[in-house]
Amino acid sequence: MPIVQRGWYPKGRKIIANFNYKKRERFHAFGALGRGTIRYQFYEEMNSDAFIHFLRCLKCSYRKLLLFFDMAPWHKSEKVKRFLMRNKKSIEYELLPEKSPEVSPIEIEWREWRKLIGNKYFKDNNEMRSYLQRRIQSDDCPVIKLFDYLLP
């Protein structure tokens, strides 16, 4: 799905944005912040299975995890709850308040990602993913420092 950002345009001129996207073509990302880095993975669907896969990948990289989830359906599904119960020695979690994106630091990262791809033309989702990954790895998208966020 293209991201069109607001901007300054000549008065009286109609701005036309060209996009080559199919109506339902999109991808999603799960992400986790920590130690000045962001861990993320792209998925075709945003659901419990994809979220559990992401948690397994995190678990392979870290011995213990402390995670904060918003109230998205895939974060609080029965399948995810069972997975978290089976892994309670290595994964601790808290649910953030409902409808409060301002308390989640990952939301700041997502906003930065949208700025990177806003008003840009990509021929397809693969090109957009590749562009995003290159920009993130090249430090064009600063990673929020959690202590700065939590202790202003």
Side-chain angles (χ1 to χ4, degrees), residues 3-29:
I3 294 178
V4 180
Q5 296 175 328
R6 286 191 255 183
W8 295 97
Y9 303 101
K11 187 175 181 178
R13 293 184 75 193
K14 185 176 182 177
I15 304 302
I16 298 172
N18 294 321
F19 296 106
N20 188 19
Y21 292 91
K22 296 177 184 135
K23 190 172 182 176
R24 293 253 184 220
E25 188 177 306
R26 61 178 58 187
F27 64 92
H28 307 275

Side-chain angles (χ1 to χ4, degrees), residues 4-146:
V4 180
Q5 296 175 328
R6 286 191 255 183
W8 295 97
Y9 303 101
K11 187 175 181 178
R13 293 184 75 193
K14 185 176 182 177
I15 304 302
I16 298 172
N18 294 321
F19 296 106
N20 188 19
Y21 292 91
K22 296 177 184 135
K23 190 172 182 176
R24 293 253 184 220
E25 188 177 306
R26 61 178 58 187
F27 64 92
H28 307 275
F30 285 112
L33 295 169
R35 296 185 184 178
T37 63
I38 183 166
R39 294 291 187 127
Y40 64 92
Q41 281 195 287
F42 296 123
Y43 293 92
E44 298 302 317
E45 297 290 327
M46 206 80 158
N47 58 32
S48 299
D49 292 330
F51 185 57
I52 289 171
H53 179 266
F54 179 67
L55 292 175
R56 283 190 175 122
C57 291
L58 284 177
K59 197 173 162 225
C60 288
S61 298
Y62 302 98
R63 286 184 328 158
K64 290 215 172 229
L65 296 167
L66 172 59
L67 302 170
F68 296 91
F69 306 144
D70 61 18
M71 298 294 272
W74 45 84
H75 291 158
K76 56 185 185 165
S77 72
E78 287 302 315
K79 199 173 200 178
V80 170
K81 285 180 186 174
R82 285 192 303 273
F83 174 81
L84 292 168
M85 283 301 293
R86 285 192 309 270
N87 293 280
K88 64 183 174 184
K89 289 184 180 180
S90 58
I91 301 176
E92 289 186 40
Y93 72 98
E94 289 292 328
L95 290 172
L96 295 171
E98 198 167 0
K99 297 180 182 174
S100 303
E102 68 278 0
V103 299
S104 177
I106 196 75
E107 293 298 331
I108 296 169
E109 284 300 316
W110 299 148
R111 196 168 33 248
E112 292 298 318
W113 286 25
R114 284 189 287 278
K115 285 180 191 175
L116 287 175
I117 59 175
N119 292 351
K120 292 192 177 35
Y121 177 80
F122 302 99
K123 69 178 182 180
D124 59 22
N125 275 339
N126 291 331
E127 184 181 354
M128 185 188 297
R129 280 188 212 195
S130 298
Y131 175 82
L132 202 50
Q133 286 174 321
R134 281 193 314 275
R135 294 291 300 269
I136 292 164
Q137 290 168 358
S138 70
D139 293 332
D140 286 344
C141 185
V143 176
I144 184 173
K145 292 182 173 58
L146 284 176

